[in-house]
Amino acid sequence: MTHLPALVTLLTVLLLSGTMFIVGKMRGRHGIKAPATSGHPAFDRAYRVQMNTLEGAVMFLPTLWLAATYGFSGWAGIAGLVWVVGRVWYAWSYMKDPASRGPGFAVAMMAWVALLVMAAIGVCRALMLG
């Protein structure tokens, strides 16, 4: 279980790469020339999924590694897997119908909050025992 956060990190990189690929595909399919960031609803949805996932990953990855480093490696890995599943669910739902993105977002957010709590407990405990 100590290597689970590393696997989650790789899965997150693959997720980010996948959203980037889909944006490029939609850009080509709908003739959206760079640097435009809107122009067709399918492209707009793909772009928002990519940006929202990137924004989430910026908070998720450090929190994952803080929780894993400060005493919660296994639980951090499990919460990380839940986050990845939630983000994939979010992306899939958003691409189909933006109004249906809520449940996937909620799952990912709950997993991130769990990681944040683990990271805070771990860091505080380390500071107190320091």
Side-chain angles (χ1 to χ4, degrees):
M1 291 284 266
T2 60
H3 301 296
L4 194 52
L7 174 63
V8 169
T9 300
L10 288 174
L11 292 173
T12 302
V13 170
L14 290 173
L15 175 61
L16 292 169
S17 298
T19 62
M20 184 175 67
F21 174 79
I22 292 168
V23 168
K25 181 178 171 184
M26 292 294 112
R27 185 179 288 282
R29 178 178 292 167
H30 300 291
I32 311 297
K33 304 290 183 204
T37 57
S38 66
H40 187 278
F43 171 79
D44 294 346
R45 287 190 304 271
Y47 183 76
R48 286 309 317 148
V49 165
Q50 181 194 22
M51 290 297 104
N52 289 339
T53 303
L54 181 59
E55 292 162 0
V58 167
M59 295 186 315
F60 165 71
L61 288 171
T63 310
L64 169 72
W65 282 101
L66 285 170
T69 300
Y70 287 94
F72 295 96
S73 183
W75 288 111
I78 291 167
L81 286 174
V82 172
W83 185 88
V84 170
V85 168
R87 290 309 299 195
V88 169
W89 182 8
Y90 164 86
W92 189 267
S93 299
Y94 200 126
M95 290 300 296
K96 286 178 151 181
D97 175 17
S100 70
R101 72 191 186 278
F105 178 84
V107 166
M109 183 58 73
M110 286 187 290
W112 179 75
V113 168
L115 285 167
L116 183 62
V117 168
M118 286 183 257
I121 290 169
V123 170
C124 288
R125 188 171 36 197
L127 287 170
M128 293 168 84
L129 298 175

